[in-house]
Amino acid sequence: MSEETQRLTSGIGLDVFDPAPVGVLLARGPDHRIVYTNTLYRQTFGDRPLGRSLREAFPDLAQTGYFDILDRVLTTGHAERVSTAPVDVTYPGEAHGVTRYFDFSISRSTFGAGEHGILAVIVEVTEQVEAAERIRVLAEERRRALLRYRSLVKAGSQMVWVTAPEGGVIEPSPGWERVTGQTWEEFRGDGWLDAVHPDDREDIVREWNRALADVPTDFTHVYRLRLAGGGYRHFSIYAAPVRDGDTVIEWVGTCADIEQQWQADRRDTLLARAAAATADTVRLQEMLDALSHVIVPDVADACRVYLLPQTLDRPAGGALTAERVVALTRPGMPDLPPHREEHLRPDSLLARAIEQGSPLYAAFPPGEPPPDLAGPADAPWLSGGVNSIVLLPVVVDGTTAALLTASVSDDRPPLGRPEVDLLRDLAEQTHAPLRSALEYQRTRQVALALQRSLLTAPPEVPGLDIAVRYRPSTVGAEVGGDWYDSFVLRDGAVVVTIGDVAGHDLPAAVTMSQLRNMLRGLALDREEPTGEILHRLDISVQTLYPEGTATCILARVERPGPDGFRLQYSVAGHPPPLLVAPDGTAGFLTDARNPLIGLVPDPRYTSAQQPLPQGCTLLLYTDGLVERRDEDLQQGLDRLRRAASKAAEQPLEVLCDDLLATLLPEGSTDDVAMLALRVTNGAPPQP
């Protein structure tokens, strides 16, 4: 480069631009031949040869219009600026160029002899342009995301909410307002808690505060929300923290209605609990009690179950007696004793549900049942602040076997169709034992009717008082095996007998009736010793009932002379007769003991005789009066002897009642028959 070209007309040496932090280019003449480039320019655009025109050095810029700017500045002398101009730069040795951005400041320069050129100052702004573009893209993405978020919030079925890092709501939620009816002023901050069910507030506050403190990756919870139209539904919330680095700047969450799923899950859970609670339960009472503890308090505040023992033979519209066997309420509520008979009017609410055989349901303000549902003033299922009831008949094989009542109180959500369906599903757990109970009732009614038709009143005999008692079993189908009988023979002798057929069911009752009638016929057929009569009865039993056995006492009360009566008796495997003197002296008659009827082949039966002095009492009884599972039979016999001795002076009827009241333990389940005979001052019987 010549000395002339190394200086501008101002006399400034071009080497002053070498360390400049901007690119500098000096070109000369109309074809813009490169005269000078500084260090930064060469680093940016490569080492373009001096003396060449810019069009030759930068052929890629031919179509960009940049050369027109150079020509215009050279011609007019007016400086021009170009901002963020893209330039495709291809470096030596590279196949493809890259786009970079520059700010150009172009002015005219004067050389010697009046020749002009251009001076270009170039600042690269590629990083600023790219950063601005990134910011623009991010801003656009944020703007679009915000628009999408707002659209989803308005159109979605879920409620979306935003809280501050410390937990208070900071943005309106159209979905929340639509579902709960809360305005923004009511919703903001911690106002949302007012829409949460009172029973759920403590849990959600505790768990939400724990999440705010621990900041997990997400937070889930289920609670009940009050609806704008009244009532509550279950909602599932999901929330996540929004972070800027390590700092939580807000929380975003949603609420989804899960009432149907919650009801289905609750149904499955309660049915599983009911199945587990009743898996090893056979007795109906225990099963009903276990189910009531599943129902209370998860489904209802109170549950009562009534069994209907009279529905088998009760005419439609007739009086009904229901046995309340379960009465359970949640803690803090008054309760009723579970066992009680309730006589229901035909027009009562319970009777109506039983007659219809379908559920009755009603909801009402707490403590204000409608008149047609209130029933009696002391209706136990409507006491206190009850707001809804369900009366659910449990129908088995077309018969209403039980009635389940459930109620909720105060501000608890009223029972509805889901609870009715759930109670029906739970009640199905009891169908098998209820079916057994119905079969038992039928068997018991038939057996008792048969037995009572045979256990007739004793005859009136001068000189003798005869009293009889019968107490049937109280559990299962255990009825029908015990019997007593008394009648007068043609010769004037009085026959008294008592017995017990093996088994406690309807077949036992049928067998008992047949043995009793056979014994009557055998005793009337021949006037022979009691042992011979029992022998013939044994032959009949072993012939007709090969598998059957029975115990029996057969006795003849005779009056051979004016001095008194005489007892002839035989005992076949039965507890011995008890003879009580007027002074209370008592002893068992054990002289004519024989094997059970039907037990051994071709047995021989013996007879014995015993005087019956005036005022004495003869007591015949079945084993239910003296047997206990946890003691020896002799203890029961001694107990009977002592009790009868103390009651010896009582009238015969009173003595029988006292013995039953004294000797039968509470909850005794065995049936008991008793026949008592007392010698009085009456005239002797006539043939």
Side-chain angles (χ1 to χ4, degrees):
M1 179 183 301
S2 66
E3 181 68 22
E4 181 184 3
T5 61
Q6 292 180 357
R7 292 180 177 273
L8 299 176
T9 56
S10 60
I12 299 176
L14 295 178
D15 56 356
V16 73
F17 296 116
D18 286 344
V22 295
V24 178
L25 165 71
L26 182 65
R28 185 174 186 172
D31 55 355
H32 309 299
R33 294 188 177 275
I34 300 173
V35 175
Y36 169 80
T37 59
N38 72 345
T39 303
L40 183 60
Y41 184 96
R42 292 191 297 273
Q43 292 175 352
T44 303
F45 296 103
D47 191 9
R48 309 286 175 166
L50 298 178
R52 297 182 62 180
S53 69
L54 288 176
R55 286 183 170 84
E56 294 174 341
F58 294 95
D60 296 340
L61 301 181
Q63 305 299 324
T64 62
Y66 293 148
F67 295 131
D68 295 339
I69 297 174
L70 300 179
D71 294 341
R72 191 165 55 248
V73 170
L74 183 65
T75 301
T76 64
H78 297 295
E80 294 191 22
R81 292 177 59 86
V82 180
S83 299
T84 62
V87 177
D88 292 330
V89 180
T90 303
Y91 294 100
E94 294 185 359
H96 303 285
V98 294
T99 301
R100 301 171 75 173
Y101 294 88
F102 301 90
D103 286 349
F104 295 96
S105 177
I106 305 170
S107 59
R108 189 170 68 176
S109 296
T110 302
F111 295 89
E115 188 178 7
H116 299 285
I118 57 101
L119 175 66
V121 178
I122 306 163
V123 177
E124 183 172 5
V125 293
T126 301
E127 290 186 1
Q128 293 89 324
V129 170
E130 290 178 348
E133 179 63 15
R134 286 195 299 269
I135 293 173
R136 186 193 68 78
V137 171
L138 288 174
E140 178 64 17
E141 290 178 351
R142 182 178 178 83
R143 186 184 71 85
R144 290 176 179 273
L146 183 60
L147 292 175
R148 285 195 296 267
Y149 164 74
R150 290 176 176 173
S151 298
L152 287 173
V153 168
K154 291 181 179 179
S157 60
Q158 293 183 336
M159 297 177 286
V160 181
W161 43 265
V162 180
T163 75
E166 63 275 9
V169 174
I170 58 176
E171 290 188 12
S173 172
W176 183 279
E177 180 177 351
R178 182 175 61 252
V179 171
T180 67
Q182 281 191 315
T183 64
W184 164 233
E185 291 301 321
E186 295 169 332
F187 173 50
R188 69 189 307 170
D190 292 332
W192 58 274
L193 276 170
D194 293 337
V196 177
H197 192 282
D199 292 346
D200 297 342
R201 288 175 190 167
E202 183 179 350
D203 286 344
I204 181 58
V205 169
R206 182 181 62 254
E207 296 302 320
W208 179 231
N209 287 336
R210 182 181 300 170
L212 294 175
D214 298 342
V215 192
T217 55
D218 54 34
F219 171 75
T220 60
H221 195 78
V222 174
Y223 55 29
R224 287 167 289 178
L225 285 180
R226 183 184 63 244
L227 305 182
Y232 290 86
R233 290 179 70 86
H234 285 82
F235 284 78
S236 173
I237 66 173
Y238 176 87
V242 179
R243 298 176 182 268
D244 184 2
D246 295 332
T247 303
V248 176
I249 59 175
E250 62 187 19
W251 287 76
V252 177
T254 62
C255 290
D257 188 334
I258 61 165
E259 182 66 25
Q260 290 185 345
Q261 183 60 46
W262 185 88
Q263 292 287 358
D265 292 343
R266 179 178 72 153
R267 175 185 177 277
D268 293 342
T269 300
L270 292 179
L271 288 178
R273 282 180 51 196
T278 59
D280 299 325
T281 303
V282 177
R283 296 188 59 189
L284 177 62
Q285 174 67 42
E286 295 175 357
M287 179 170 288
L288 294 174
D289 184 70
L291 283 180
S292 69
H293 281 82
V294 174
I295 294 171
V296 176
D298 291 284
V299 182
D301 291 329
C303 174
R304 293 175 176 87
V305 181
Y306 299 83
L307 294 183
L308 309 170
Q310 297 183 9
T311 56
L312 296 177
D313 54 4
R314 182 179 64 88
L320 177 64
T321 298
E323 181 185 1
R324 189 174 68 216
V325 296
V326 169
L328 182 66
T329 57
R330 64 172 170 81
M333 292 184 61
D335 207 349
L336 294 172
H339 296 287
R340 176 184 171 185
E341 283 191 350
E342 295 194 7
H343 302 284
L344 309 178
R345 301 191 314 271
D347 60 343
S348 69
L349 184 64
L350 291 175
R352 192 193 320 165
I354 293 167
E355 292 285 359
Q356 294 179 357
S358 57
L360 291 180
Y361 160 75
F364 38 82
E368 301 178 16
D372 61 332
L373 294 178
D378 60 345
W381 61 92
L382 294 178
S383 60
V386 173
N387 63 38
S388 58
I389 60 170
V390 172
L391 304 180
L392 179 67
V394 184
V395 180
V396 179
D397 298 335
T399 299
T400 302
L403 181 71
L404 185 150
T405 73
S407 62
V408 297
S409 304
D410 303 325
D411 59 351
R412 184 170 181 175
L415 297 170
R417 175 53 57 184
E419 285 74 25
V420 175
D421 295 338
L422 176 58
L423 289 172
R424 182 187 288 109
D425 292 339
L426 290 171
E428 288 183 358
Q429 303 275 343
T430 67
H431 274 210
L434 277 175
R435 182 175 288 108
S436 299
L438 285 177
E439 292 174 356
Y440 153 70
Q441 288 184 19
R442 296 186 179 101
T443 300
R444 184 176 177 82
Q445 287 186 353
V446 172
L448 285 175
L450 174 61
Q451 195 164 37
R452 285 167 180 163
S453 70
L454 299 174
L455 302 179
T456 56
E460 295 184 4
V461 180
L464 297 175
D465 278 349
I466 304 176
V468 293
R469 294 290 187 271
Y470 177 72
R471 294 286 177 87
S473 170
T474 59
V475 297
E478 296 180 358
V479 64
D482 292 11
W483 90 88
Y484 62 79
D485 198 5
S486 60
F487 51 92
V488 180
L489 297 175
R490 289 174 297 175
D491 62 0
V494 178
V495 173
V496 292
T497 181
I498 197 165
D500 185 2
V501 172
H504 294 83
D505 49 21
L506 183 57
V510 173
T511 303
M512 175 274 294
S513 68
Q514 293 171 335
L515 264 63
R516 169 190 176 275
N517 291 334
M518 281 194 295
L519 186 55
R520 271 196 165 201
L522 294 173
L524 289 168
D525 179 46
R526 303 178 188 177
E527 297 176 2
E528 57 186 1
T530 54
E532 293 298 325
I533 297 174
L534 289 184
H535 177 256
R536 289 195 288 147
L537 178 64
D538 188 289
I539 294 174
S540 300
V541 169
Q542 296 201 42
T543 302
L544 300 175
Y545 310 102
E547 303 299 327
T549 59
T551 67
C552 179
I553 295 177
L554 177 63
R556 284 170 53 95
V557 180
E558 306 166 341
R559 188 162 189 173
D563 296 333
F565 289 91
R566 179 181 63 195
L567 178 70
Q568 179 190 125
Y569 68 97
S570 295
V571 180
H574 201 86
L578 178 65
L579 184 62
V580 184
D583 63 358
T585 303
F588 292 102
L589 306 181
T590 59
D591 289 341
R593 290 181 293 185
N594 300 283
L596 273 71
I597 294 173
L599 182 63
V600 298
D602 194 22
R604 297 299 172 185
Y605 288 87
T606 61
S607 304
Q609 295 190 1
Q610 174 69 37
L612 296 177
Q614 185 170 325
C616 73
T617 301
L618 177 70
L619 185 65
L620 308 182
Y621 52 92
T622 55
D623 56 7
L625 188 66
V626 293
E627 281 190 343
R628 301 290 183 272
R629 293 182 179 178
D630 56 350
E631 68 179 20
D632 184 76
L633 176 60
Q634 187 59 49
Q635 292 178 260
L637 294 175
D638 292 341
R639 186 166 46 246
L640 171 61
R641 179 177 52 78
R642 292 192 298 269
S645 179
K646 291 180 181 180
E649 296 182 356
Q650 297 285 350
L652 195 61
E653 299 286 347
V654 176
L655 179 143
C656 291
D657 292 335
D658 284 352
L659 290 180
L660 289 175
T662 302
L663 298 178
L664 288 183
E666 183 178 356
S668 175
T669 60
D670 201 2
D671 48 350
V672 176
M674 181 189 300
L675 185 149
L677 180 146
R678 178 172 289 173
V679 178
T680 65
N681 293 325
Q686 299 297 320

